[in-house]
Amino acid sequence: MIDAPDLASDVSKNETVTRILDAAERLFRHYGYAKTNVADIARDLGMSPANIYRFFTSKVEIHQAICGRMLMGSYEMSKQILSQPISATERLRQWAHAQHRMTVETMLDQEKVHEMVVVALERDWHVIDQHINRLHDLLAVAIRQGVEAGEFRDQDPEIAARCFGGATVVLCHPQMVAQCLAKTNRATPEQLIEFALAALK
């Protein structure tokens, strides 16, 4: 059994961590990741850099935690869409469109957020791999249900989920979206999504 003082200590620690991440994300969004350092974050919070280092070893670790929070938002959105009581085809269609819309609106329209995401992708952080695996798990469930309902041909749902994710990655990878957005010789999101769905049938 955990003593009450220990619970209070944990709550206080979690609150401080949240305050640090909120301040860091706000500064990263305003000034950019490269132009913000731990001293700036500490100054914004009215605390010393040493106090921040009690919770995070570096700016990179703070960035990782923020990235994890952003990805969790994407996961929760995906979970909500892919658990709707509608056909598997329509769930996958809505999911792919939502991923593209979120990438354009959140990551590209806000230049500083885009910088944060690009840095994270270039560093190949494990939080991104974990996020991709969790999305594939959600997709596999939807595809399995589509197979059972006769919407999709009989196939391995896990492999199909990875293939569907790979076929639509251009819609949610910030750098790919940024490069393809204004190109006239690329498939539209609608065309790409329908092509990927057709491959499941």
Side-chain angles (χ1 to χ4, degrees):
M1 182 175 180
I2 301 175
D3 294 334
D6 292 334
L7 283 173
S9 176
D10 288 343
V11 170
S12 177
K13 178 180 177 181
N14 290 338
E15 287 176 349
T16 302
V17 166
T18 298
R19 285 183 63 219
I20 292 171
L21 294 180
D22 288 346
E25 184 171 354
R26 184 171 61 252
L27 293 174
F28 289 165
R29 286 174 180 268
H30 185 73
Y31 298 106
Y33 174 75
K35 294 182 179 179
T36 303
N37 55 42
V38 172
D40 296 324
I41 299 168
R43 191 180 308 111
D44 184 80
L45 290 167
M47 63 173 65
S48 68
N51 199 29
I52 290 183
Y53 286 124
R54 289 175 53 215
F55 301 94
F56 297 97
T57 61
S58 64
K59 184 177 83 166
V60 170
E61 193 172 285
I62 293 172
H63 185 193
Q64 259 190 307
I66 292 172
C67 182
R69 291 203 311 186
M70 292 172 65
L71 294 176
M72 181 55 68
S74 169
Y75 172 78
E76 291 299 333
M77 178 191 73
S78 299
K79 187 176 180 181
Q80 182 177 9
I81 292 172
L82 292 171
S83 62
Q84 295 179 95
I86 55 179
S87 71
T89 300
E90 185 57 27
R91 276 180 276 162
L92 292 175
R93 180 181 289 117
Q94 288 186 18
W95 174 81
H97 278 294
Q99 288 288 309
H100 182 251
R101 187 165 54 250
M102 184 184 70
T103 302
V104 173
E105 293 176 356
T106 306
M107 298 177 182
L108 297 188
D109 288 353
Q110 300 178 37
E111 183 182 343
K112 300 299 191 299
V113 178
H114 185 217
E115 178 193 1
M116 289 167 56
V117 175
V118 169
V119 170
L121 290 169
E122 288 175 345
R123 289 176 174 168
D124 196 25
W125 283 339
H126 69 280
V127 291
I128 296 176
D129 272 343
Q130 289 175 346
H131 174 65
I132 292 171
N133 289 339
R134 295 180 78 196
L135 288 184
H136 285 168
D137 288 343
L138 291 177
L139 292 172
V141 170
I143 292 172
R144 181 179 294 107
Q145 292 170 345
V147 170
E148 292 170 352
E151 291 180 60
F152 305 142
R153 59 183 167 77
D154 188 25
Q155 58 198 294
D156 185 316
E158 281 74 27
I159 293 175
R162 290 194 291 271
C163 290
F164 189 84
T168 57
V169 69
V170 70
L171 300 177
C172 56
H173 190 295
Q175 290 161 303
M176 292 183 181
V177 173
Q179 291 171 7
C180 297
L181 207 55
K183 302 287 186 181
T184 58
N185 63 340
R186 303 288 195 275
T188 66
E190 291 76 14
Q191 291 168 339
L192 191 56
I193 292 167
E194 295 308 314
F195 186 86
L197 285 170
L200 295 171
K201 298 181 177 182

